[in-house]
Amino acid sequence: MNRTLPAKLALLALLLPGVALAKSSDRNQPMDLESNSNDCNLTDDAGKCTFTGNVVITQGTLVIHAANADLFRKNGDIERVVLTGKQATLEQEMDDGSKMNAWADNMDYNVNSEVIILTGNYKVESPRGTNSGQKMTYNTRTGNMQSGGDGTRVRTVIQPKNKGAAPAAPAAKPATPAAKPAAAPATGSKK
């Protein structure tokens, strides 16, 4: 057995940005959708609802903006949400109180598995860092993130743990004493 494997896995977990978990209480909140138009049959428990034009979806701390959204239902519950647009955006508070922001041309969210697949020039930002590329699969329940492997490049930027701490300022140099003004000749004396 490779004795360094656990240490390598722990290091990898620390390096991945955005691994904080999505706000778990958001899953139990109602989903509010706004758009310019929609096509949806609410009596059909297993169908697709299409929202077009300036779509805004909120659910707890989750806020999504997209050009279009398709909601797929099964047994009356939302099973999957597909968001498209140049670019769809997602913002959500994490359980630790930090914010996560994501952008992609396409976001495909499976409600039951809590997995979102970001494709097309995606970028994810969190206080821990950023990740960008062409495709990412992110499990919002476990924090597991997979990207790349499809022949494209992935870019990850990892912030230092003490990002907010300012570097120590160099010690101040003592001020040089001010030059004394030259003595003025005494007035009123005659020589």
Side-chain angles (χ1 to χ4, degrees):
M1 181 176 141
N2 184 348
R3 295 165 74 98
T4 62
L5 184 60
K8 289 177 183 175
L9 291 175
L11 177 63
L12 182 62
L14 290 173
L15 296 179
L16 294 176
V19 292
L21 302 180
K23 189 100 172 165
S24 54
S25 62
D26 286 350
R27 296 176 190 99
N28 301 320
Q29 301 295 318
M31 185 182 288
D32 181 46
L33 296 107
E34 294 181 24
S35 64
N36 292 346
S37 65
N38 71 52
D39 181 8
C40 189
N41 183 341
L42 296 178
T43 62
D44 182 6
D45 282 347
K48 175 176 134 180
C49 293
T50 300
F51 297 83
T52 55
N54 299 314
V55 178
V56 179
I57 301 172
T58 56
Q59 186 177 25
T61 67
L62 174 68
V63 179
I64 296 170
H65 293 267
N68 303 298
D70 290 322
L71 274 69
F72 298 89
R73 295 177 302 143
K74 184 175 182 180
N75 299 325
D77 289 325
I78 298 171
E79 182 177 59
R80 185 172 156 226
V81 179
V82 178
L83 307 157
T84 56
K86 299 270 184 204
Q87 288 202 296
T89 64
L90 179 151
E91 177 184 308
Q92 187 168 28
E93 185 176 310
M94 303 288 105
D95 276 337
D96 68 2
S98 64
K99 292 270 187 185
M100 188 267 300
N101 293 293
W103 300 264
D105 294 340
N106 187 6
M107 298 182 183
D108 189 337
Y109 179 62
N110 183 307
V111 175
N112 295 325
S113 67
E114 298 180 35
V115 171
I116 187 167
I117 300 171
L118 306 172
T119 54
N121 302 308
Y122 81 85
K123 183 174 184 179
V124 177
E125 288 182 344
S126 77
R128 296 187 72 174
T130 62
N131 186 278
S132 60
Q134 292 304 309
K135 182 178 180 183
M136 171 197 271
T137 302
Y138 178 64
N139 186 315
T140 63
R141 185 180 338 142
T142 66
N144 186 44
M145 175 181 74
Q146 299 169 340
S147 52
D150 58 355
T152 62
R153 304 279 294 162
V154 176
R155 180 182 166 131
T156 302
V157 177
I158 302 158
Q159 294 297 331
K161 187 172 183 175
N162 295 329
K163 179 183 172 186
K173 293 182 181 178
T176 56
K180 292 182 180 177
T187 58
S189 65
K190 294 184 182 178
K191 289 203 174 186

